[in-house]
Amino acid sequence: MLIKRYFPVVSLLVALVLPNALAQKTPIEITADLTDAPRKLYHAEIDLPVKPGPLTLITPEWIPGTHMPIGPAQEITGVVFTADGKTIPWRRDDVNLYEFHLTVPDGATHLHAHLDCIVLRRISQKLAVLEWEKLLLYPADTPVRDIPIEPSVKVPAGWGIGTALTPVGSGAYPVPASGSTTRFEATNVEQLEDSPIITGQYFHEYPLAPTITPKHYLDVVADDPEDANMRPSVLAEVANLVREADALYRCHHYHVYHFLLTLSDVAGGEGLEHGQSSDNGVGEKGFADDNHQLPEADLLSHEFTHSWNGKYRRPEGLYQPDFATPQHGELLWVYEGMTEYLGNVLAARSGLKSQSQYRDILAMTAADLDYTPGHDWRSTQDTAISASLLRGGNPAWSNWKRGQDYYFEGELLWLDADTLIRKLSNNKKSLDDFERIFLGKGGNTGPLIVPYKFDELVEDLNQVVPYDWAAFLRDRVNKINPQVDLAGIEQGGYKLVFNDKPNPSERTMAAAGGRRRGGLDCWYSIGLRINSEGNIADVLWNGPADKAKLAPGEKIIAVDGQIFSNEALRDAIRKAKGSSEPIHLIVQADSFVHTADIDYHDGERYPALERVEGTPDYLDDITKPLTTPEKVPETKKDTD
Ligand SMILES: [Zn+2]
């Protein structure tokens, strides 16, 4: 019932009302000038149709996909309004600092706005990413989907352009870039905000999976020309991803899809979803070999999945008519958690990582959550509601605070649901069937936003296999659960174990400069997250190091009489196994020094999944490709 109530209303609004509105209203014209990108500056010239009288213009605050109010108002500078050649005074709103108030003089029909944006991320000497919220300015009183806008862009001479916006003229890709202005077809402010541009000196656009419609492209810019030449194996795997997503979802909600990818140590990491594209950023060697690829293996599949889950289907509270109204994160364990699950499954199905790498990384995720004592006081739902407080937080005591656990708790929850459906249906049905119902309503569409509520999830799950899905979801999400949900792993035919050596994927990621920046993984032994210099990022609440009164921010100087090194600490943990002698540390705390003894004797511990023989191996069923994989030209190295 809820589906019927929500789905037609929104589709009518967007599909029918918007084209009329576009046809009737004069569009805003915006030219984004990125020619100063190497100096970390963008400029915009904006022409707005106006009527005489008071006018309030606004810049975006709540940026879709970031789940927090981080519009770039702080970086917007050099704002000047003119009409008929005369400068118009303006005043910022006293409460909403994103709003500009001004009065359009009698007789004026157009207002010109100039602004600059200081760009701190996603930019280098050789490439730039334009997320349009950096330059947008539009009337505050109109829903953003009802404001027509004609975008253009100028980029440095010789730089290529990747975007899902349709170029005026040929309408074909790659976008012709000549150093002069490139114009795009009119759209609306909501869609323009959802249509970033990447540009760079070293640019390649790779068409993917030509038998699949609509068309898909991988657009790459890099600081080094060598890195922009993607390995044939990566191209084959990303093409597999397109085909696997097509086989999983059996519909799409875009006219064209562009994976936009930057390879740069300067421009930084990113993963931001859009309906017809995604903004992905990795280090310059991020896809240079299989080892560097592993930590990034689910990036493209995660952001691609968002086109269905998050962009097309969006929790009601995460969809507002403007970019000013606060978003509600309550259902982020669907928006992000289910995407985390599907992104990892699709990465394995398409060969971006192997099935055994999928299991290794799942073990690391499950163990990390299992060693998050914040479960004792905070529900997963609360991590979703307070997403904007938790994003990018300090690691100190974060295991007691909990982080954005709706991603990874969500992953385990949807694995639990998938394996439960398989168990209840004797492996005849799976979560794939649910996705086809939930994400496929309306069949193939262009970019649309169709909101949903909790009850629709329950109704659609019940269409696959009848079960008390409301209780299933509420028990796992809303309640305080001191234990992490390992049911999916166990129903999938495996159990979480701890070994005295890191699993092969953990070793690969550590060698590639992985997650702990070269530090020893001793979280599951003495309960410390440290880097290779001995700096303590976090201390496991109630763990051995906590009992020894160590604290985040301190630095280990010496271990058992030796100057600190990864090896010295590792030796000490090994040596203390079976002995009654504690591990002796000398620790720097601010400008003081103290000693600490860690009373721990169980040796090294690293997570892995172990097969439970005689049970159905649903985990491997889940990660098997649905299509025949495209031939991968290079041998894929499995870490088994
Ligand atoms: Zn996401």
mmCIF file of all heavy atoms in Angstrom, residues 93 146 194 203 207 221 267 292 402 426 457 469 497 608 628 631 634:
data_model
loop_
_atom_site.group_PDB
_atom_site.id
_atom_site.type_symbol
_atom_site.label_atom_id
_atom_site.label_comp_id
_atom_site.label_asym_id
_atom_site.label_seq_id
_atom_site.Cartn_x
_atom_site.Cartn_y
_atom_site.Cartn_z
ATOM 1 N N ASP A 93 21.776 36.438 5.191
ATOM 2 C CA ASP A 93 20.756 36.204 6.211
ATOM 3 C C ASP A 93 21.430 36.015 7.570
ATOM 4 O O ASP A 93 22.496 35.401 7.664
ATOM 5 C CB ASP A 93 19.933 34.960 5.863
ATOM 6 C CG ASP A 93 18.728 34.828 6.765
ATOM 7 O OD1 ASP A 93 17.719 35.504 6.490
ATOM 8 O OD2 ASP A 93 18.805 34.064 7.758
ATOM 9 N N ASP A 146 12.464 22.205 -9.746
ATOM 10 C CA ASP A 146 11.633 23.071 -10.585
ATOM 11 C C ASP A 146 12.390 24.280 -11.104
ATOM 12 O O ASP A 146 11.784 25.195 -11.654
ATOM 13 C CB ASP A 146 10.403 23.542 -9.791
ATOM 14 C CG ASP A 146 9.472 22.395 -9.453
ATOM 15 O OD1 ASP A 146 9.552 21.348 -10.138
ATOM 16 O OD2 ASP A 146 8.673 22.537 -8.512
ATOM 17 N N ASP A 194 23.631 16.861 -9.220
ATOM 18 C CA ASP A 194 23.883 15.413 -9.262
ATOM 19 C C ASP A 194 24.750 15.003 -10.460
ATOM 20 O O ASP A 194 24.866 13.821 -10.753
ATOM 21 C CB ASP A 194 22.523 14.689 -9.323
ATOM 22 C CG ASP A 194 22.612 13.252 -8.828
ATOM 23 O OD1 ASP A 194 23.349 13.016 -7.857
ATOM 24 O OD2 ASP A 194 21.966 12.370 -9.430
ATOM 25 N N PHE A 203 43.626 12.397 -19.803
ATOM 26 C CA PHE A 203 42.226 11.960 -19.751
ATOM 27 C C PHE A 203 42.015 10.803 -20.717
ATOM 28 O O PHE A 203 42.503 10.837 -21.846
ATOM 29 C CB PHE A 203 41.329 13.140 -20.139
ATOM 30 C CG PHE A 203 39.873 12.779 -20.362
ATOM 31 C CD1 PHE A 203 39.018 12.617 -19.288
ATOM 32 C CD2 PHE A 203 39.373 12.608 -21.657
ATOM 33 C CE1 PHE A 203 37.680 12.287 -19.483
ATOM 34 C CE2 PHE A 203 38.036 12.273 -21.862
ATOM 35 C CZ PHE A 203 37.200 12.111 -20.780
ATOM 36 N N PRO A 207 34.758 3.224 -23.298
ATOM 37 C CA PRO A 207 33.411 2.647 -23.363
ATOM 38 C C PRO A 207 33.449 1.243 -22.760
ATOM 39 O O PRO A 207 34.446 0.524 -22.883
ATOM 40 C CB PRO A 207 33.110 2.576 -24.869
ATOM 41 C CG PRO A 207 34.192 3.356 -25.545
ATOM 42 C CD PRO A 207 35.376 3.346 -24.629
ATOM 43 N N VAL A 221 41.003 10.496 -15.127
ATOM 44 C CA VAL A 221 42.043 11.533 -15.171
ATOM 45 C C VAL A 221 43.082 11.192 -14.112
ATOM 46 O O VAL A 221 42.752 10.642 -13.060
ATOM 47 C CB VAL A 221 41.498 12.965 -14.938
ATOM 48 C CG1 VAL A 221 40.670 13.439 -16.112
ATOM 49 C CG2 VAL A 221 40.701 13.055 -13.645
ATOM 50 N N ALA A 267 44.887 14.865 -5.080
ATOM 51 C CA ALA A 267 43.448 15.176 -5.113
ATOM 52 C C ALA A 267 42.663 14.390 -4.073
ATOM 53 O O ALA A 267 41.534 14.747 -3.747
ATOM 54 C CB ALA A 267 42.885 14.922 -6.511
ATOM 55 N N HIS A 292 47.485 -3.053 -5.000
ATOM 56 C CA HIS A 292 46.909 -1.730 -4.737
ATOM 57 C C HIS A 292 45.408 -1.722 -4.985
ATOM 58 O O HIS A 292 44.676 -0.935 -4.394
ATOM 59 C CB HIS A 292 47.592 -0.664 -5.607
ATOM 60 C CG HIS A 292 48.924 -0.236 -5.085
ATOM 61 N ND1 HIS A 292 50.087 -0.868 -5.444
ATOM 62 C CD2 HIS A 292 49.274 0.734 -4.206
ATOM 63 C CE1 HIS A 292 51.102 -0.289 -4.815
ATOM 64 N NE2 HIS A 292 50.637 0.673 -4.056
ATOM 65 N N ARG A 402 31.393 4.283 18.856
ATOM 66 C CA ARG A 402 30.899 3.737 17.589
ATOM 67 C C ARG A 402 31.018 4.793 16.492
ATOM 68 O O ARG A 402 30.878 5.975 16.724
ATOM 69 C CB ARG A 402 29.445 3.229 17.632
ATOM 70 C CG ARG A 402 29.240 2.043 18.562
ATOM 71 C CD ARG A 402 27.860 1.416 18.396
ATOM 72 N NE ARG A 402 27.775 0.604 17.183
ATOM 73 C CZ ARG A 402 26.704 -0.131 16.879
ATOM 74 N NH1 ARG A 402 25.647 -0.158 17.676
ATOM 75 N NH2 ARG A 402 26.688 -0.850 15.776
ATOM 76 N N ASN A 426 15.321 -23.021 0.427
ATOM 77 C CA ASN A 426 16.193 -24.085 -0.078
ATOM 78 C C ASN A 426 17.064 -23.603 -1.243
ATOM 79 O O ASN A 426 17.248 -24.302 -2.242
ATOM 80 C CB ASN A 426 15.348 -25.303 -0.480
ATOM 81 C CG ASN A 426 16.160 -26.588 -0.435
ATOM 82 O OD1 ASN A 426 17.246 -26.616 0.163
ATOM 83 N ND2 ASN A 426 15.679 -27.629 -1.089
ATOM 84 N N LEU A 457 10.004 -1.962 2.764
ATOM 85 C CA LEU A 457 11.044 -3.005 2.815
ATOM 86 C C LEU A 457 10.422 -4.325 3.267
ATOM 87 O O LEU A 457 10.670 -5.380 2.689
ATOM 88 C CB LEU A 457 12.148 -2.629 3.804
ATOM 89 C CG LEU A 457 12.942 -1.354 3.540
ATOM 90 C CD1 LEU A 457 13.765 -0.993 4.771
ATOM 91 C CD2 LEU A 457 13.848 -1.541 2.338
ATOM 92 N N TRP A 469 9.581 -10.133 8.861
ATOM 93 C CA TRP A 469 10.709 -9.268 8.487
ATOM 94 C C TRP A 469 10.749 -7.984 9.302
ATOM 95 O O TRP A 469 11.832 -7.428 9.537
ATOM 96 C CB TRP A 469 10.672 -8.954 6.988
ATOM 97 C CG TRP A 469 11.004 -10.143 6.138
ATOM 98 C CD1 TRP A 469 10.157 -10.871 5.350
ATOM 99 C CD2 TRP A 469 12.295 -10.780 6.011
ATOM 100 N NE1 TRP A 469 10.825 -11.911 4.739
ATOM 101 C CE2 TRP A 469 12.135 -11.870 5.124
ATOM 102 C CE3 TRP A 469 13.545 -10.526 6.554
ATOM 103 C CZ2 TRP A 469 13.194 -12.716 4.778
ATOM 104 C CZ3 TRP A 469 14.603 -11.363 6.216
ATOM 105 C CH2 TRP A 469 14.421 -12.444 5.333
ATOM 106 N N VAL A 497 36.940 -16.797 12.937
ATOM 107 C CA VAL A 497 37.961 -17.331 13.837
ATOM 108 C C VAL A 497 39.125 -16.331 13.902
ATOM 109 O O VAL A 497 39.198 -15.392 13.105
ATOM 110 C CB VAL A 497 38.503 -18.699 13.339
ATOM 111 C CG1 VAL A 497 37.405 -19.748 13.344
ATOM 112 C CG2 VAL A 497 39.125 -18.573 11.950
ATOM 113 N N ALA A 608 39.772 -14.302 10.429
ATOM 114 C CA ALA A 608 39.607 -15.038 9.162
ATOM 115 C C ALA A 608 38.263 -15.752 9.218
ATOM 116 O O ALA A 608 37.679 -15.905 10.290
ATOM 117 C CB ALA A 608 40.735 -16.051 8.995
ATOM 118 N N THR A 628 28.548 -14.734 -17.809
ATOM 119 C CA THR A 628 29.845 -15.303 -18.180
ATOM 120 C C THR A 628 30.856 -14.169 -18.198
ATOM 121 O O THR A 628 30.676 -13.205 -18.942
ATOM 122 C CB THR A 628 29.777 -15.939 -19.586
ATOM 123 O OG1 THR A 628 28.613 -16.754 -19.616
ATOM 124 C CG2 THR A 628 31.002 -16.758 -19.879
ATOM 125 N N LYS A 631 36.598 -12.000 -20.779
ATOM 126 C CA LYS A 631 37.960 -12.541 -20.618
ATOM 127 C C LYS A 631 38.870 -11.493 -20.000
ATOM 128 O O LYS A 631 38.953 -10.366 -20.482
ATOM 129 C CB LYS A 631 38.509 -12.946 -21.992
ATOM 130 C CG LYS A 631 38.460 -14.433 -22.230
ATOM 131 C CD LYS A 631 39.628 -14.823 -23.155
ATOM 132 C CE LYS A 631 40.174 -16.173 -22.846
ATOM 133 N NZ LYS A 631 39.378 -17.279 -23.257
ATOM 134 N N GLU A 634 44.900 -10.204 -18.125
ATOM 135 C CA GLU A 634 46.021 -10.554 -17.252
ATOM 136 C C GLU A 634 45.557 -11.605 -16.259
ATOM 137 O O GLU A 634 44.395 -11.647 -15.894
ATOM 138 C CB GLU A 634 46.503 -9.321 -16.470
ATOM 139 C CG GLU A 634 47.237 -8.327 -17.344
ATOM 140 C CD GLU A 634 47.511 -7.043 -16.590
ATOM 141 O OE1 GLU A 634 47.622 -7.081 -15.356
ATOM 142 O OE2 GLU A 634 47.598 -6.009 -17.254
#
